[in-house]
Amino acid sequence: IVEQYGVKIVPLNVQIGDKVFKEGVNLSNRYYYSWLRKEPIFPKTSQPSAGDFFEIFTSLPNEAEVLVLLISSELSGTAQSASMARDMLNNEAVKIHIVDSRSTAIGLALQVIKACEMLAQGEKMDDIRRKLQEIQSKNKLFFVVDNLEYLARGGRISHLSKYVGNILQIKPILHLQNGRIEVFKKIRSKQKAVKTILEELKKDLQNVEKIGIAHVDELEEAEKLRCEVSKIYNGDVLIAEAGPVIGTHVGPGTLGLAYY
């Protein structure tokens, strides 16, 4: 999809010890998730710098009009970096529209794809931005984590909660609420948690345009979820793996469903 539409990606960063890696550039998902499962430390994650955006912005031709669609500003300072770079550019001949997706991972991907499709069809930028606002107003994103270990490592829950939760086999369903990740429900098994997500989809199905599935080193389970979704939804369902930045915080084995 990135190659088809010529999308430029400004990657987020993962720091392991004193080394900083750019997601999707010099850090593969396979290597990273294998390492993350074995090592007890918690890597640091960070937004791109204003310089990373500035490098792309300065390469744009005059009269270019660009849509910059970014991870939720409630989760990352990426939108702030992009805004700083736009201010640094000081080139009125280039129009840069910075849009906070209010989402992440597959939820962000669905918005990017829709924007690309509309651009390819010759739609005006104002119409595309209006459509994105519409998507954001009804976009839903649910995640089921496989293990509470990674939420505890990142300080999202206490270590006591982690041990109690793992003993009781609690699988929290997380969702995006106003651009923030919050707990939706706490379920006693992953199977029941996935079933709960599917029930939420069924409630909204009449108005659903697009559906995507996200996973963190869990492709087989993602394919199973797509089979379940296809029983109630006739359209295409995109599967994509969340990258190391999101994967660090929710952990390998995470499964997600997004739709609008």
Side-chain angles (χ1 to χ4, degrees), residues 113-128:
I113 292 168
K114 186 61 180 179
C116 288
E117 290 173 348
M118 293 180 71
L119 280 169
Q121 293 165 4
E123 299 276 1
K124 294 180 179 179
M125 190 66 75
D126 287 346
D127 293 330
I128 295 171

Side-chain angles (χ1 to χ4, degrees), residues 57-103:
F57 292 168
T58 52
S59 70
L60 299 171
N62 282 340
E63 311 302 326
E65 188 171 17
V66 184
L67 178 69
V68 187
L69 191 52
L70 303 167
I71 182 174
S72 172
S73 58
E74 296 289 344
L75 303 176
S76 170
T78 301
Q80 184 179 15
S81 292
S83 296
M84 289 173 61
R86 181 178 60 184
D87 294 341
M88 290 161 55
L89 187 62
N90 194 28
N91 183 352
E92 295 181 359
V94 176
K95 280 188 177 180
I96 299 174
H97 305 276
I98 294 173
V99 176
D100 181 349
S101 73
R102 310 297 290 170
S103 192

Side-chain angles (χ1 to χ4, degrees), residues 116-175:
C116 288
E117 290 173 348
M118 293 180 71
L119 280 169
Q121 293 165 4
E123 299 276 1
K124 294 180 179 179
M125 190 66 75
D126 287 346
D127 293 330
I128 295 171
R129 294 182 68 180
R130 273 193 291 270
K131 181 61 179 179
L132 291 174
Q133 287 178 343
E134 177 193 325
I135 291 172
Q136 290 162 20
S137 69
K138 64 177 187 175
N139 184 47
K140 293 192 177 179
L141 173 60
F142 297 97
F143 277 102
V144 181
V145 301
D146 188 53
N147 191 314
L148 298 174
E149 171 71 30
Y150 302 94
L151 291 173
R153 287 189 197 180
R156 298 298 193 273
I157 60 172
S158 71
H159 285 276
L160 177 60
S161 295
K162 179 195 78 171
Y163 289 122
V164 171
N166 283 341
I167 289 170
L168 296 176
Q169 285 295 294
I170 291 174
K171 304 295 182 184
I173 299 173
L174 308 174
H175 71 144

Side-chain angles (χ1 to χ4, degrees), residues 9-14 20-27 45-49 52-53 70-71 75-78 104 108 244-246:
I9 297 176
V10 181
L12 280 74
N13 306 304
V14 177
V20 178
F21 300 90
K22 291 190 177 297
E23 185 177 82
V25 177
N26 52 4
L27 183 64
T45 60
S46 62
Q47 69 208 49
S49 68
D52 292 333
F53 282 101
L70 303 167
I71 182 174
L75 303 176
S76 170
T78 301
T104 185
L108 170 57
V245 170
I246 295 296

Side-chain angles (χ1 to χ4, degrees), residues 180-194:
R180 296 188 297 273
I181 295 178
E182 297 182 358
V183 175
F184 179 68
K185 283 183 181 178
K186 295 179 181 177
I187 308 294
R188 283 292 294 271
S189 74
K190 191 172 185 179
Q191 185 179 5
K192 289 180 180 177
V194 171

